[in-house]
Amino acid sequence: MTQTADVTASALDEALVQWLLRIGDTSLILGHRVSEWCGHAPVLEEDIALANTALDLIGHTQMWLGLAGQIEGKGRDADALVYRRDAMHYRNLKLVELPNDDMAITVMRLFLFDVFHQALIEGLTQSKDPRIAEIAAKALKEVTYHLERSSDLVVRLGDGTQQSHDRMQAALEHLWPYCGEMFWSDAVDETLADAGLAPHPDRLREGWLATVQDILTEATLKAPEGRLDVHLGGKVGRHTEHLGFLLAEMQFLQRAYPDADW
Amino acid sequence: MTQTADVTASALDEALVQWLLRIGDTSLILGHRVSEWCGHAPVLEEDIALANTALDLIGHTQMWLGLAGQIEGKGRDADALVYRRDAMHYRNLKLVELPNDDMAITVMRLFLFDVFHQALIEGLTQSKDPRIAEIAAKALKEVTYHLERSSDLVVRLGDGTQQSHDRMQAALEHLWPYCGEMFWSDAVDETLADAGLAPHPDRLREGWLATVQDILTEATLKAPEGRLDVHLGGKVGRHTEHLGFLLAEMQFLQRAYPDADW
Amino acid sequence: SPEEQAFQDRIDAGERIEPRDWMPEGYRKTLIRQIGQHAHSEIVGQLPEGNWITRAPTLERKAILLAKVQDEAGHGLYLYSAAETLGESRDEMTQKLLDGRMKYSSIFNYPTLTWADIGAIGWLVDGAAIMNQVPLQRTSYGPYARAMVRICKEESFHQRQGYHIMMKMARGTDAQREMAQDALNRFWYPSLMMFGPSDKESVHSAQNMAWKIKINTNDELRQKFVDQTVPQAEFLGLTVPDETLCWNEEKGGYDFAEPDWNEFFEVLKGNGPCNAERIGARQKAWDDGAWFRDGLSAYADKQQARRMAAE
Amino acid sequence: SPEEQAFQDRIDAGERIEPRDWMPEGYRKTLIRQIGQHAHSEIVGQLPEGNWITRAPTLERKAILLAKVQDEAGHGLYLYSAAETLGESRDEMTQKLLDGRMKYSSIFNYPTLTWADIGAIGWLVDGAAIMNQVPLQRTSYGPYARAMVRICKEESFHQRQGYHIMMKMARGTDAQREMAQDALNRFWYPSLMMFGPSDKESVHSAQNMAWKIKINTNDELRQKFVDQTVPQAEFLGLTVPDETLCWNEEKGGYDFAEPDWNEFFEVLKGNGPCNAERIGARQKAWDDGAWFRDGLSAYADKQQARRMAAE
């Protein structure tokens, strides 16, 4: 009995580490993309707001990956996980690694992700793992604010000029086939859900669709008819061609000066 | 006496290594920029021609930096020099590290550099150092062809449509203040010139101006009035902000997998 | 018709059809489509490999890869020229590529995620391409057959270079071996798909074979590819991601699992990992390059006018 | 005039001037120029530091840098607001920045080439900025003085963080120390230039001092900066790139070499290492963002129309 319980605990920990990498990497990479706007946003208020969002996401990354490293028990802290893994070992959603392109893509991506993220974090405040619940509780106010802000921008730009409407619609079409990965699940997600540690991704789909639909309607935008789940694989390390370039840039100093302390 | 001769020889070698890094790094970084066009050029013939130019330049890099490593005598081969130096130790001209932006910048930069490069390589075929003369002899046909091709394109695009003319003129204005670095010299260049190993950069200026002026006239373009030598420093390791990003990308694999053989 | 009969007789006799010869409309159209698609594949095929040129791990690898991508552009050039002899211009074909009326090989809708993918593409994708192309050196249309001769020669270099990369990786560090295995895992089935679905009973296929535009069935070529590739994988110490794979003594070849044809059709429909990126990149190159092409042709017009004025 | 006299009396009495108060046209114009230039410096100042956000070496450093750049945008916002109270809109000032009618601090025309530069900017550039700004908390124009109070509080954080980066680097590996020394070499003289050329005999300066828009002379501030910074450099074990530098017991401060004022004027004329890049980046942000700003204001108009229709 004890042995079985031990095996189960270790299998759970393994799944938990994977799950934490997924959520932590997703925060990191989205934060990175958002931070690329620093100094280049269309209006000063956006420079400030985007930097703020990036800061929140980097903060979440520190917590999620810190916990991942701790549970993994191989002496890797959040920085080691961030700066010393190559693309095939990253577990973020593909949605967040796509280039920013323009503010329409940036805003629309934040919105599509924030709807999911807010529901996920809210669910995680009820996690049976107090470490997860605690991080979620810290993050909840921030992600709720992110969602407010991005929904508001989607409405204003969707229902703005013809050009802003068209750009937002095009961004939506571009990003839609990447959204299904948020609800995709495998044994890792099953394990976490069964143990009461995290909501099953599948359970978040319906609420996401409803909220997204509401906001799109208000924004006079139209949900695409194509499949949501065309681009899967990020959660198991099969990424787009963009991630490698992002990491090469992000990791340069740690890779080039492995002995240095910063 | 012998000791003085030795010291002189070692001082010469030191200057020679610096000089070889300058020419080798310049070939490398320009080759890198040109190679970024692969698959993205405006017409198939350009895809081929640009890949060809990049190939030539990478080939020159192998020879120049191979010789640099050999003379340096610290066991660094061309790959070690290319993949394991950070930006402040790179010695290329700033001109070649600027982003491609568009084909006008790309073509104009190649032209402005090729005029200098062709004269330099031709001069180097007369170097008193047979190793340098040999490399130059190998490269001469290629750089002569580069110059033919880029001059031809400058003429055709300068005297093409109004738009192509304007873009070429804008590219010329953009690049002009970087050109002076080709003729800038310091003790390294003096040493090489005094020893009869390489033409003094200053001696190449007049010919460059004359050739450039001829082609620009044929291309119905106008040489800018501003200073040529606004942007110096690449030859002593003070670069633009662009080089760091270029190197992060280029060096990724060697940095991330220091023990690997490829 | 008698003309058609005479045409078929020439083909049956092993004669080459040349651009000015009479040919059935179906033959011409099928060839334009096939050669054009092949040309487009060379062009789009520059992108996944080009993706690693700036990150190649040594100068030598960089030079080899650059030369390879350059060869592909060259192949595109021969093939567009061959198709142009049939009456369709390169620009027309490019338009059809960009607006989706013409296809390119679906394999290029898969991403190159690690350096090992550059090896895998050379080894598997060029390997499969050669398998398809070698018989086409004997195709009935002269310009196409001659283009194939040149192309096959270069492709076999590329395949060897790709295999060499795989060898270095498979026999390298743990991380390299992991990348090599992962590349094989990802490219195996897409490579099998390169031969197309089984065409045993396709009427279309039968006509093309009669015309010697198609020489072997898809299944024959796929079998040949598997039989050639499996021992190569074993030599590398890599595992083909097919648990059902086993030697069939009786047929003298391997039994192997079919790729997921559903995925194949999805990719064909545009739902592959990189369809939008690939066409987007080509569209951007085309749009951004408009001023460049216009400039060159305006200059050519001016030169012509100047020459005429001087006469 | 009597108004002017009354105005000057208020200032001499240490009163604060507020937006609705009467003020001389010269005072207003000088302030708009000075506050606007300061605001522009915060905005353009995001760029050299922003250049390293995606490459910050640890998550903590990344977060600190992001927060710093965000603070700078915030400072820009306060300052534009302060300038707007004088009757010039943010968009007008932005236009003047982009077309060169208004300046920003020349220091931001120098590139950030290594991570140590992020340290050097915090330590030296923010250090010099604070030296300039602390007295301006007592400036005569209320909104400007209040903005300065907020800004100075944050800047001193930034300076400490910058110094901390330098400390880590200067006491780190050889490569790190080399970067730290190189950053000091490159940023020392440009930092000294931040106080501007000597203004001892400038009439302009005298008027601004009477108006309490300027509190100290450039030379006073520069001396103070050197006196504060040299011991900090010594503590780091770095060498200030000035061979003439030495303590002058008599004046109770350091003697030091003047920066190359020729370089200063060249950079001011547009010939600095990054002038074109900085303004180019701001112009691009402005142009690319036009549809975004238009979209938001179109929505605001529609909302207003809807509210009015509903009433």
Side-chain angles (χ1 to χ4, degrees):
Chain A
M1 280 299 265
T2 315
Q3 206 184 349
T4 313
D6 275 1
V7 169
T8 307
S10 111
L12 181 60
D13 271 359
E14 218 168 278
L16 187 49
V17 169
Q18 282 302 309
W19 183 89
L20 287 164
L21 291 177
R22 289 174 181 180
I23 191 169
D25 290 349
T26 296
S27 291
L28 172 72
I29 302 299
L30 183 58
H32 183 102
R33 284 297 185 211
V34 173
S35 80
E36 291 175 344
W37 279 104
C38 258
H40 305 278
V43 60
L44 192 46
E45 285 78 1
E46 281 304 309
D47 269 315
I48 297 173
L50 289 169
N52 195 57
T53 302
L55 258 175
D56 290 343
L57 290 167
I58 299 303
H60 303 170
T61 305
Q62 289 176 298
M63 296 189 283
W64 293 126
L65 295 186
L67 182 54
Q70 187 187 313
I71 296 173
E72 187 194 44
K74 292 183 186 161
R76 300 200 287 183
D77 61 7
D79 280 335
L81 288 169
V82 165
Y83 289 98
R84 312 256 169 132
R85 270 182 307 154
D86 198 354
M88 66 193 292
H89 299 117
Y90 262 76
R91 296 289 179 260
N92 59 281
L93 300 171
K94 280 181 167 177
L95 175 69
V96 302
E97 72 199 39
L98 300 175
N100 288 327
D101 287 352
D102 68 359
M103 272 295 282
I105 297 277
T106 300
V107 168
M108 185 56 80
R109 165 164 56 195
L110 283 172
F111 166 65
L112 295 169
F113 178 73
D114 290 345
V115 177
F116 162 78
H117 199 203
Q118 199 277 339
L120 173 63
I121 295 290
E122 194 167 51
L124 291 174
T125 60
Q126 307 303 316
S127 174
K128 284 193 183 156
D129 186 323
R131 299 166 298 186
I132 294 177
E134 191 190 332
I135 295 173
K138 281 185 191 156
L140 184 61
K141 212 176 96 185
E142 290 166 0
V143 303
T144 305
Y145 177 67
H146 296 172
L147 175 57
E148 261 174 49
R149 214 187 80 79
S150 60
S151 317
D152 180 55
L153 275 178
V154 166
V155 168
R156 288 154 72 198
L157 293 166
D159 190 19
T161 60
Q162 185 65 44
Q163 197 194 359
S164 71
H165 176 276
D166 293 349
R167 277 179 180 256
M168 293 303 281
Q169 184 69 42
L172 179 61
E173 310 275 350
H174 177 63
L175 298 169
W176 193 254
Y178 291 90
C179 289
E181 194 180 3
M182 297 190 280
F183 314 110
W184 179 90
S185 59
D186 63 2
V188 167
D189 299 290
E190 306 288 344
T191 307
L192 273 275
D194 289 350
L197 300 195
H200 195 289
D202 202 44
R203 270 187 40 218
L204 301 171
R205 188 196 314 258
E206 216 171 304
W208 183 86
L209 277 168
T211 307
V212 166
Q213 188 53 67
D214 281 354
I215 298 291
L216 292 182
T217 303
E218 197 183 338
T220 73
L221 297 171
K222 217 168 143 281
E225 280 165 15
R227 283 167 47 200
L228 265 177
D229 62 346
V230 175
H231 298 293
L232 305 173
K235 287 172 76 171
V236 294
R238 292 188 172 186
H239 292 280
T240 69
E241 289 174 352
H242 305 292
L243 186 62
F245 291 96
L246 184 157
L247 295 182
E249 183 175 321
M250 184 175 84
Q251 299 177 337
F252 178 74
L253 285 176
Q254 290 271 359
R255 299 286 198 186
Y257 303 97
D259 304 328
D261 214 25
W262 305 93
Chain B
M1 279 299 264
T2 314
Q3 207 184 347
T4 314
D6 276 1
V7 170
T8 308
S10 109
L12 181 61
D13 272 357
E14 217 169 279
L16 187 48
V17 169
Q18 282 302 308
W19 183 89
L20 287 164
L21 291 178
R22 288 173 182 181
I23 190 169
D25 291 349
T26 296
S27 291
L28 172 72
I29 302 299
L30 183 58
H32 183 102
R33 286 296 185 213
V34 173
S35 79
E36 291 175 344
W37 278 103
C38 257
H40 306 278
V43 60
L44 193 45
E45 285 78 1
E46 281 303 311
D47 269 313
I48 296 172
L50 290 168
N52 196 56
T53 302
L55 258 174
D56 290 343
L57 291 167
I58 299 303
H60 303 170
T61 305
Q62 288 176 299
M63 297 189 284
W64 294 127
L65 294 186
L67 183 54
Q70 191 187 311
I71 296 174
E72 187 194 45
K74 293 184 187 161
R76 299 200 288 183
D77 61 7
D79 281 334
L81 288 169
V82 166
Y83 289 99
R84 313 256 170 132
R85 270 182 308 154
D86 199 354
M88 64 193 293
H89 299 116
Y90 262 75
R91 296 290 180 258
N92 59 282
L93 300 171
K94 279 180 168 179
L95 175 69
V96 301
E97 72 198 39
L98 300 175
N100 288 325
D101 286 353
D102 69 358
M103 272 295 282
I105 297 278
T106 300
V107 168
M108 186 56 80
R109 164 164 58 194
L110 283 172
F111 166 65
L112 294 169
F113 177 73
D114 290 346
V115 177
F116 162 79
H117 199 203
Q118 200 277 340
L120 173 64
I121 296 289
E122 195 167 50
L124 292 174
T125 60
Q126 307 302 318
S127 173
K128 285 192 183 157
D129 185 324
R131 300 167 297 186
I132 294 177
E134 192 190 333
I135 295 173
K138 282 185 191 157
L140 184 60
K141 213 176 95 186
E142 290 166 359
V143 303
T144 305
Y145 177 67
H146 295 173
L147 176 56
E148 263 174 48
R149 213 186 80 80
S150 60
S151 317
D152 180 55
L153 274 177
V154 166
V155 169
R156 289 154 73 199
L157 293 167
D159 189 20
T161 60
Q162 185 65 43
Q163 197 193 359
S164 71
H165 176 275
D166 293 349
R167 277 178 180 256
M168 294 303 281
Q169 184 68 42
L172 179 60
E173 310 275 351
H174 177 64
L175 298 169
W176 193 254
Y178 291 90
C179 289
E181 193 179 5
M182 297 189 283
F183 314 110
W184 179 90
S185 59
D186 62 3
V188 167
D189 299 289
E190 308 287 345
T191 306
L192 274 273
D194 289 350
L197 300 194
H200 195 290
D202 202 45
R203 271 190 38 220
L204 301 171
R205 188 196 314 258
E206 216 170 304
W208 183 85
L209 277 168
T211 308
V212 166
Q213 188 53 67
D214 281 354
I215 298 290
L216 291 182
T217 303
E218 197 184 339
T220 73
L221 298 171
K222 218 170 143 280
E225 282 165 15
R227 283 168 47 202
L228 264 177
D229 62 346
V230 176
H231 299 292
L232 305 174
K235 287 171 79 172
V236 293
R238 293 189 173 184
H239 292 280
T240 69
E241 289 175 354
H242 305 291
L243 186 62
F245 291 96
L246 185 157
L247 295 182
E249 184 175 321
M250 185 177 82
Q251 299 178 336
F252 179 75
L253 285 177
Q254 290 271 0
R255 299 287 199 185
Y257 303 98
D259 304 327
D261 214 25
W262 306 93
Chain C
S1 75
E3 274 170 322
E4 279 172 359
Q5 189 51 53
F7 178 80
Q8 188 63 50
D9 289 346
R10 291 186 60 195
I11 287 179
D12 293 343
E15 277 183 52
R16 282 279 159 81
I17 310 301
E18 294 300 332
R20 290 162 183 233
D21 297 348
W22 183 89
M23 63 188 79
E25 222 17 56
Y27 179 85
R28 180 190 305 273
K29 281 199 173 145
T30 305
L31 266 177
I32 290 176
R33 194 167 48 80
Q34 183 172 327
I35 303 175
Q37 183 167 321
H38 189 165
H40 295 328
S41 299
E42 299 283 357
I43 300 311
V44 177
Q46 293 180 93
L47 299 172
E49 295 188 284
N51 187 42
W52 281 88
I53 287 175
T54 57
R55 291 178 291 173
T58 68
L59 290 173
E60 197 191 345
R61 292 284 175 211
K62 192 190 288 279
I64 291 172
L65 183 56
L66 260 168
K68 180 179 179 194
V69 175
Q70 189 191 21
D71 283 348
E72 281 154 11
H75 298 173
L77 212 53
Y78 310 156
L79 288 162
Y80 283 127
S81 301
E84 284 185 320
T85 63
L86 293 158
E88 184 143 326
S89 77
R90 198 209 295 181
D91 282 2
E92 282 172 294
M93 287 183 273
T94 300
Q95 276 314 327
K96 288 184 178 171
L97 167 68
L98 296 179
D99 64 25
R101 281 175 296 158
M102 283 180 86
K103 299 283 178 196
Y104 55 90
S105 178
S106 269
I107 191 76
F108 301 120
N109 290 316
Y110 291 86
T112 51
L113 301 180
T114 72
W115 175 251
D117 291 9
I118 299 305
I121 286 184
W123 172 35
L124 301 173
V125 175
D126 289 339
I130 293 170
M131 210 58 91
N132 265 326
Q133 290 163 9
V134 163
L136 290 175
Q137 296 179 95
R138 297 178 285 113
T139 190
S140 60
Y141 189 59
Y144 189 25
R146 288 188 290 274
M148 278 301 143
V149 172
R150 293 178 68 175
I151 290 174
C152 283
K153 207 180 297 172
E154 293 179 356
E155 293 285 14
S156 68
F157 268 107
H158 298 167
Q159 202 207 358
R160 248 176 295 160
Q161 289 158 347
Y163 192 69
H164 193 246
I165 289 176
M166 288 307 274
M167 182 100 77
K168 277 285 203 181
M169 303 282 286
R171 301 189 175 174
T173 64
D174 288 352
Q176 285 178 302
R177 194 184 351 274
E178 185 190 355
M179 287 188 237
Q181 180 62 55
D182 184 57
L184 175 56
N185 293 348
R186 284 181 287 108
F187 278 97
W188 174 254
Y189 286 109
S191 299
L192 297 190
M193 290 180 201
M194 285 178 71
F195 301 97
S198 183
D199 55 1
K200 271 177 277 192
E201 287 147 39
S202 156
V203 181
H204 200 58
S205 240
Q207 173 65 76
N208 290 348
M209 286 179 122
W211 277 339
K212 290 195 188 160
I213 293 177
K214 189 177 174 81
I215 313 286
N216 303 90
T217 69
N218 296 349
D219 286 331
E220 281 166 17
L221 293 169
R222 184 164 23 245
Q223 180 70 51
K224 222 173 143 185
F225 174 75
V226 171
D227 292 345
Q228 171 186 295
T229 307
V230 170
Q232 294 172 341
E234 281 167 2
F235 185 73
L236 293 173
L238 298 178
T239 308
V240 173
D242 175 358
E243 290 180 8
T244 71
L245 188 80
C246 70
W247 180 255
N248 181 327
E249 194 60 52
E250 202 176 333
K251 78 173 180 189
Y254 286 92
D255 288 336
F256 58 93
E258 285 285 307
D260 176 358
W261 291 109
N262 193 37
E263 176 178 323
F264 176 79
F265 290 112
E266 279 295 311
V267 175
L268 217 59
K269 263 175 33 192
N271 288 330
C274 300
N275 299 54
E277 247 114 353
R278 300 299 183 232
I279 285 296
R282 292 309 304 164
Q283 183 76 55
K284 185 171 186 311
W286 183 254
D287 294 344
D288 289 356
W291 72 269
F292 182 95
R293 297 187 302 274
D294 292 347
L296 294 192
S297 66
Y299 179 80
D301 292 349
K302 285 188 203 177
Q303 281 298 85
Q304 171 129 33
R306 283 174 200 141
R307 268 195 303 273
M308 285 174 61
E311 273 165 19
Chain D
S1 75
E3 274 170 324
E4 279 171 0
Q5 189 51 53
F7 178 81
Q8 188 62 51
D9 289 346
R10 289 186 60 196
I11 286 180
D12 293 344
E15 277 183 52
R16 283 279 159 81
I17 309 301
E18 294 300 331
R20 290 162 183 232
D21 297 348
W22 183 90
M23 62 188 79
E25 219 23 51
Y27 180 84
R28 182 190 304 274
K29 280 201 175 146
T30 305
L31 266 178
I32 290 177
R33 195 168 49 79
Q34 182 171 329
I35 303 175
Q37 182 167 321
H38 189 165
H40 295 328
S41 299
E42 298 283 356
I43 300 311
V44 176
Q46 293 181 90
L47 298 172
E49 296 187 285
N51 187 41
W52 282 89
I53 288 176
T54 57
R55 291 178 291 174
T58 68
L59 290 173
E60 197 190 344
R61 291 284 174 211
K62 192 190 289 280
I64 290 172
L65 183 56
L66 259 169
K68 181 179 179 196
V69 176
Q70 188 191 21
D71 283 348
E72 281 154 12
H75 298 174
L77 210 54
Y78 311 155
L79 288 161
Y80 283 127
S81 300
E84 284 185 320
T85 63
L86 293 157
E88 185 142 324
S89 76
R90 197 208 297 180
D91 282 3
E92 282 173 294
M93 287 183 273
T94 299
Q95 275 314 327
K96 287 184 180 171
L97 167 69
L98 296 179
D99 64 25
R101 281 176 294 159
M102 283 180 87
K103 298 282 178 198
Y104 54 92
S105 177
S106 268
I107 190 76
F108 300 120
N109 290 317
Y110 290 86
T112 51
L113 300 179
T114 72
W115 175 250
D117 290 9
I118 300 304
I121 286 184
W123 172 35
L124 301 173
V125 175
D126 290 339
I130 293 171
M131 209 59 88
N132 264 326
Q133 290 164 8
V134 162
L136 290 175
Q137 296 179 93
R138 297 178 283 113
T139 189
S140 61
Y141 188 59
Y144 189 26
R146 288 189 290 275
M148 277 301 143
V149 172
R150 293 178 68 175
I151 290 174
C152 283
K153 206 180 297 173
E154 292 178 357
E155 292 285 14
S156 68
F157 268 108
H158 298 168
Q159 203 208 359
R160 248 176 295 161
Q161 288 158 349
Y163 193 69
H164 192 245
I165 289 176
M166 288 307 274
M167 180 101 75
K168 277 285 202 180
M169 303 281 287
R171 302 189 174 176
T173 64
D174 289 352
Q176 284 177 302
R177 192 183 355 273
E178 185 189 354
M179 287 188 238
Q181 181 62 53
D182 184 58
L184 174 56
N185 293 349
R186 284 182 287 109
F187 278 97
W188 174 255
Y189 286 108
S191 300
L192 296 189
M193 291 179 199
M194 284 178 70
F195 301 96
S198 183
D199 54 3
K200 271 177 279 195
E201 287 148 38
S202 158
V203 180
H204 199 57
S205 242
Q207 172 65 78
N208 290 347
M209 286 179 122
W211 277 337
K212 290 195 188 160
I213 292 176
K214 190 177 173 79
I215 313 285
N216 304 88
T217 70
N218 296 347
D219 286 331
E220 280 165 18
L221 293 170
R222 186 166 20 247
Q223 180 69 52
K224 220 171 147 188
F225 174 75
V226 171
D227 293 344
Q228 170 186 294
T229 306
V230 169
Q232 292 172 343
E234 282 168 1
F235 185 72
L236 292 174
L238 298 178
T239 308
V240 172
D242 175 358
E243 290 181 7
T244 71
L245 189 79
C246 70
W247 179 255
N248 181 328
E249 193 61 50
E250 200 175 332
K251 79 172 177 188
Y254 286 92
D255 288 336
F256 58 93
E258 285 285 307
D260 176 357
W261 291 110
N262 194 36
E263 176 179 322
F264 176 79
F265 290 112
E266 278 296 311
V267 175
L268 217 59
K269 262 174 35 189
N271 288 331
C274 300
N275 299 54
E277 248 114 353
R278 300 296 184 234
I279 286 296
R282 293 308 303 162
Q283 183 76 56
K284 185 171 188 309
W286 183 254
D287 293 345
D288 289 355
W291 72 269
F292 182 95
R293 296 187 302 274
D294 293 347
L296 294 192
S297 67
Y299 179 81
D301 292 348
K302 284 189 205 177
Q303 282 297 86
Q304 170 130 32
R306 283 175 199 138
R307 267 195 303 274
M308 284 174 62
E311 272 165 17

